[in-house]
Amino acid sequence: MAVSLRDVRMIYRSGTRQVLALDDVSVDFPPGTFSAVMGPSGSGKSTLLHCAAGLDRPTGGVVSIAGTPLGDLDETALTRLRRDRVGFVFQAFNLVSSLSAAQNVALPLRLAGRRPAAGEVTAALAAVGLADRARHRPSELSGGEQQRVAIARALITRPAVVFADEPTGALDTRTSRQVLDLLRALVDEHGQTIVMVTHDPVAAAMADRVLLLADGRLAGELTGADAGAIA
Ligand code: ADP
Ligand code: ADP
């Protein structure tokens, strides 16, 4: 299993107030599947994504990535697993503005103390259709191109799973479409596993399955096609 959650519970405490953000959620994200997570604001989508990606530790339950239960790892080992096995794509792209597209894509390898192999970064940029933009800075790229650079960066370590948090949230309809087609192709052609939080039914329609969250619980599951029909 690329990622599995078993009875994952998350309670936020601030002062005397407690928020039950995830209420014993169990779900699997099998290799080579594209899952979308939808639900109203405050339903726990970000918390689910952060726990599944090892960014936050849940209050209870077990999250495993590629068979490793995250609770068994200390902070150093968890950081290493995230760096080596997980890719992230954010709504706001999160590219480094002073670096070229190629340098941004190479960043996860550099952070892992690796020098990119010849052609490795070029191949990653080519995979997202941006071979000719390698030397461009983010400010010289369109929003859709910036998000595709961010996707190439997320894929450069060949992660077990890519987590995407509203990846089309900052894009217009046409560039959203390009990014969604790319994510779909990664699953269909490379067997990538993707978990995407989205508010956008058009984005959810690209997924194999759409998990519906409500009040921190899984409230249902649709096919991508059904979610698209709601759009
Ligand atoms: P969504 O992504 O669906 O909008 P979140 O996972 O961000 O939902 O939040 C779920 C619930 O947990 C909400 O009630 C939210 O206010 C609360 N919450 C999220 N993060 C924190 C936090 N760091 N501290 C306290 N409450 C939080
Ligand atoms: P988004 O919908 O863009 O994910 P959120 O409002 O869900 O934005 O959360 C943004 C950040 O704020 C998250 O890191 C979350 O943990 C934190 N957060 C959300 N709700 C609360 C809250 N009630 N108290 C403290 N932090 C919160």
Side-chain angles (χ1 to χ4, degrees):
M1 204 50 65
V3 182
S4 83
L5 282 72
R6 282 292 165 273
D7 302 320
V8 170
R9 168 172 288 255
M10 182 62 136
I11 299 171
Y12 292 110
R13 293 193 170 79
S14 45
T16 57
R17 212 171 65 95
Q18 290 196 359
V19 177
L20 179 58
L22 291 179
D23 187 2
D24 293 342
V25 171
S26 296
V27 61
D28 289 327
F29 298 102
T33 58
F34 186 175
S35 302
V37 180
M38 299 189 85
S41 189
S43 59
K45 301 182 298 296
S46 296
T47 304
L48 176 72
L49 195 79
H50 288 187
C51 288
L55 290 167
D56 287 338
R57 290 187 186 270
T59 314
V62 180
V63 176
S64 302
I65 296 180
T68 302
L70 304 188
D72 293 354
L73 305 177
D74 63 17
E75 287 307 314
T76 308
L78 183 60
T79 301
R80 187 179 309 124
L81 179 134
R82 262 201 322 260
R83 194 183 65 200
D84 297 343
R85 309 305 305 271
V86 173
F88 293 100
V89 176
F90 303 95
Q91 175 170 353
F93 319 140
N94 292 9
L95 299 175
V96 180
S97 60
S98 58
L99 299 181
S100 70
Q103 288 169 328
N104 268 286
V105 171
L107 212 50
L109 299 177
R110 301 267 179 206
L111 291 174
R114 271 189 55 203
R115 184 185 286 275
E120 192 175 5
V121 170
T122 312
L125 279 169
V128 299
L130 292 177
D132 58 342
R133 296 286 193 272
R135 293 164 158 295
H136 288 58
R137 299 266 176 93
S139 62
E140 298 166 324
L141 299 171
S142 71
E145 288 172 335
Q146 289 182 60
Q147 192 59 299
R148 283 146 66 200
V149 172
I151 291 169
R153 181 183 57 184
L155 291 167
I156 192 80
T157 57
R158 302 187 175 276
V161 57
V162 171
F163 292 96
D165 197 354
E166 296 276 359
T168 59
L171 302 176
D172 63 34
T173 306
R174 195 175 61 84
T175 47
S176 284
R177 188 80 220 174
Q178 291 172 358
V179 166
L180 292 167
D181 285 343
L182 170 62
L183 294 176
R184 187 68 244 175
L186 291 171
V187 176
D188 291 342
E189 291 163 27
H190 300 282
Q192 185 62 55
T193 308
I194 300 178
V195 179
M196 170 179 73
V197 165
T198 187
H199 284 108
D200 178 5
V202 175
M206 298 298 276
D208 299 310
R209 59 189 301 224
V210 182
L211 303 171
L212 303 176
L213 268 187
D215 295 328
R217 292 170 185 247
L218 284 178
E221 182 171 335
L222 303 174
T223 63
D226 285 344
I230 297 168

